[in-house]
Amino acid sequence: MTRPNPRFIDASSQFSAGHCLAVIRRQKDGVTRSELCELAGVSRSDVSDRVRDLVEHGYITVQARRPSTGGRPADVLRLNSDRGVVLGATLGSTSLRVVAIDMAGVVLAENSHEVKLTTPIASRLKAMHSLLRSTLEQAGTGTRELMAIGIAAPGSVVPDISAGRWPLVEVCRQSHDYFAARYDAPIMVEHDACAAAFAESRHPRRKVADLLFLDVDASIQSALVRGGRIHRGTHRLGINLEHVMVAADVDVACACGNVGCVGAVAAGATLVERASRADRPVKTVRDLARLAAAGDRAVNGLLDDAGRTIGGVVANAVRLLSPQAVVLGGELALSSPALIAGVRDVVHDQVSAQVRVAGAAFGPRAGVFGASLLALESSLAPAAVNLRLAAGEGGARAARRAV
Ligand SMILES: [Zn+2]
């Protein structure tokens, strides 16, 4: 085992190599050593040491000189986007998606695979493993290091205090253990609504720090990005709008044991049942989405009502949380302009027309992009970079091998 080099893990150091990399990453056009000193408020010698470490381990490159303005030209330091690859994946109810991105978050390869609702988790994981490997090959990783894998998994989040980590439902735990046994890279598992919310907050057309996200499908999942980070809350449960009670004409029992939760009144599972009772040919949320897209008036009427009911809950959430944007994802919302319009109308009527309410800009790929971006952020966090350097890993393009 390589002995950790204390130079990289000095806790008292305010400007470690990892922090230096974080400053360089933020400068999209690159940064000179002098600018780096100014941005970080440190001395030239501190910068020189850290830059040398980062260049040596492939995290940054020293690139073309800027045009001289009369003085001495200076080297420009940039993130080495080719150093590694990060994989993101979603275990959706009817599809598996995988994306490979470079260190700058640029997509290198992307794949998806349809599965049935009844496909067991073991078969899904096996199919996902195959998809991850083929995507990695297509990304042409070469000597790039596999830095991390982010998995977005579905399901209601339940607390797991004993684990002392983020709360994993069983599917999350299984996913983590399955891939951790097969890949020589850190595995992060995230709730799919949180992953999608994170991606949407970073979308080039949006770029907001505070965003409320709802995934409207068979159920309603929700997530909040606050100050650019996923809001976890005291027990790491995040936010859960699914079980907010709403007024309804009839009592609808919810799986949580209460009556009248918005998830029971206005989500896809209930809407499928109602459409079916109204003699519409639907058995699944996908059937409902197909009829909505084809302009079925009865189905669109149901979705408009559902949008207004969900809109009432969202309006209250907006009053409490004051997000810059409300984004709706999930198969049902994305296939139904009526549902999104219903939510938007209520929010604008009840709260403010200034609040942006829109469908997910990444569409059904929000979750997979979010999973990859979260894994990227985690692997390039200052502490992670410092630990990797201290362990002597990642030197001179040491490629991690997927087994
Ligand atoms: Zn409930």
Side-chain angles (χ1 to χ4, degrees), residues 273-354:
E273 207 180 299
R274 278 194 203 148
S276 181
R277 281 207 302 269
D279 291 330
R280 309 313 300 148
V282 294
K283 286 184 179 166
T284 63
V285 168
R286 183 158 287 185
D287 294 338
L288 204 62
R290 185 172 41 78
L291 283 182
D296 187 296
R297 289 183 65 179
V299 167
N300 277 312
L302 275 176
L303 291 170
D304 179 65
D305 287 348
R308 288 174 183 283
T309 303
I310 296 167
V313 172
V314 172
N316 281 331
V318 168
R319 288 186 181 102
L320 286 168
L321 306 167
S322 193
Q324 292 161 285
V326 175
V327 175
L328 295 149
E331 188 171 12
L332 194 57
L334 291 172
S335 62
S336 169
L339 191 146
I340 295 177
V343 175
R344 185 188 297 119
D345 286 352
V346 174
V347 172
H348 286 183
D349 286 351
Q350 293 187 6
V351 190
S352 163
Q354 303 298 316

Side-chain angles (χ1 to χ4, degrees), residues 242-243 254 256 258 261:
E242 184 172 25
H243 302 291
C254 180
C256 74
N258 290 322
C261 299

Side-chain angles (χ1 to χ4, degrees), residues 214 216-222 240-248 252 254 256 258-268 270-271 274 305-314:
L214 275 83
V216 185
D217 212 314
S219 62
I220 296 175
Q221 304 298 320
S222 47
N240 186 343
L241 299 182
E242 184 172 25
H243 302 291
V244 173
M245 290 179 204
V246 294
V252 184
C254 180
C256 74
N258 290 322
V259 171
C261 299
V262 69
V265 173
T270 301
L271 300 182
R274 278 194 203 148
D305 287 348
R308 288 174 183 283
T309 303
I310 296 167
V313 172
V314 172

Side-chain angles (χ1 to χ4, degrees), residues 45-59:
S45 62
D46 279 343
V47 158
S48 296
D49 287 349
R50 303 315 181 200
V51 164
R52 192 187 59 240
D53 293 338
L54 292 171
V55 170
E56 195 177 303
H57 290 85
Y59 284 96

Side-chain angles (χ1 to χ4, degrees), residues 42-115:
V42 293
S43 70
R44 183 94 182 178
S45 62
D46 279 343
V47 158
S48 296
D49 287 349
R50 303 315 181 200
V51 164
R52 192 187 59 240
D53 293 338
L54 292 171
V55 170
E56 195 177 303
H57 290 85
Y59 284 96
I60 61 171
T61 56
V62 181
Q63 294 186 334
R65 289 163 185 263
R66 282 179 172 167
S68 173
T69 52
R72 208 175 134 206
D75 290 340
V76 177
L77 312 170
R78 285 191 175 87
L79 173 74
N80 176 16
S81 58
D82 289 334
R83 184 188 187 278
V85 60
V86 170
L87 291 171
T90 45
L91 278 165
S93 54
T94 56
S95 66
L96 309 176
R97 293 177 186 275
V98 172
V99 66
I101 60 172
D102 68 12
M103 295 292 87
V106 173
V107 175
L108 301 170
E110 194 178 352
N111 285 297
S112 64
H113 176 70
E114 295 289 307
V115 289

